[in-house]
Amino acid sequence: MASTRFVVMSDSHGDRGIVEDIKKHYQGKVDGIFHNGDSELPSDAPVWDGIYVVRGNCDYDAGYKDNLVTRLGNVVIAQTHGHLYHINFMWDRLDLFAQSADADICLYGHLHRADAWQNGKTVFINPGSVSQPRGPINVKLYALVTVTDDKIVVDYYTRDHQLYPELTKEFSR
Ligand SMILES: [Mn+2]
């Protein structure tokens, strides 16, 4: 069965090394690498070559896009940091963004909390923060997403690329 696999990180807040390390670890082995903002790196940094990246509220470089919609195979991925959709207070606006893109998956960040949930057909994924986690799961994480014809599986990994199995979630497509 054909599958699409991609890596998602967010909120690295100046930690260039982890972005470079994740890229090095996965480049050529997955179908895409995503960063959901608040890298605090220049938008023309060489590390972004081969990474889909958006602007966070701590990125002042005008070279970043606020939103990206990327198609990998038959999977439509809508990506944004989240602050522009007021996700601290509500999900409605982020949901509208995902709906308007007809997204299978909506990637966001900003909250520094790993989370994955489904609304309608769209699976919303926050990979957590690779550098500054908040909340009860105080582990620096990123996500690896595997999409098949009928499933979307979200696995979380630690900075040393070890599976953090407690957070794995599986959704129907
Ligand atoms: Mn942040």
Side-chain angles (χ1 to χ4, degrees):
M1 183 190 285
S3 70
T4 300
R5 238 169 37 116
F6 57 91
V7 170
V8 191
M9 68 185 111
S10 192
D11 293 274
S12 45
H13 285 282
D15 187 347
R16 181 191 297 260
I18 190 62
V19 181
E20 290 171 344
D21 183 60
I22 289 172
K23 178 180 171 182
K24 190 174 159 199
H25 195 76
Y26 287 100
Q27 198 171 39
K29 298 179 186 138
V30 294
D31 300 299
I33 302 174
F34 295 81
H35 190 301
N36 298 345
D38 274 1
S39 67
E40 299 187 43
L41 299 177
S43 66
D44 60 356
V47 69
W48 295 134
D49 183 30
I51 299 182
Y52 301 100
V53 59
V54 292
R55 191 179 71 84
N57 53 299
C58 298
D59 295 318
Y60 302 107
D61 190 321
Y64 287 110
K65 297 218 163 53
D66 288 326
N67 308 313
L68 282 178
V69 178
T70 303
R71 178 183 282 271
L72 299 180
N74 67 352
V75 184
V76 176
I77 301 160
Q79 180 189 17
T80 195
H81 188 61
H83 62 297
L84 296 173
Y85 300 96
H86 307 289
I87 61 169
N88 293 83
F89 310 105
M90 61 170 116
W91 296 110
D92 311 44
R93 293 187 187 189
L94 185 69
D95 193 46
L96 276 176
F97 164 62
Q99 284 184 41
S100 70
D102 196 27
D104 299 291
I105 292 172
C106 180
L107 304 178
Y108 68 100
H110 190 48
L111 304 179
H112 295 215
R113 288 174 184 243
D115 204 4
W117 44 282
Q118 191 168 31
N119 189 31
K121 80 164 186 176
T122 309
V123 173
F124 292 79
I125 301 168
N126 189 331
S129 169
V130 272
S131 300
Q132 297 178 12
R134 294 181 196 141
I137 300 157
N138 193 30
V139 182
K140 298 168 182 175
L141 297 168
Y142 66 88
L144 182 66
V145 184
T146 306
V147 185
T148 58
D149 289 341
D150 59 351
K151 276 185 197 135
I152 296 172
V153 179
V154 184
D155 288 308
Y156 289 88
Y157 283 81
T158 60
R159 283 167 66 106
D160 51 355
H161 314 302
Q162 300 303 303
L163 180 67
Y164 190 81
E166 294 92 325
L167 290 181
T168 293
K169 281 195 186 167
E170 188 175 307
F171 302 94
S172 299
R173 257 190 112 186

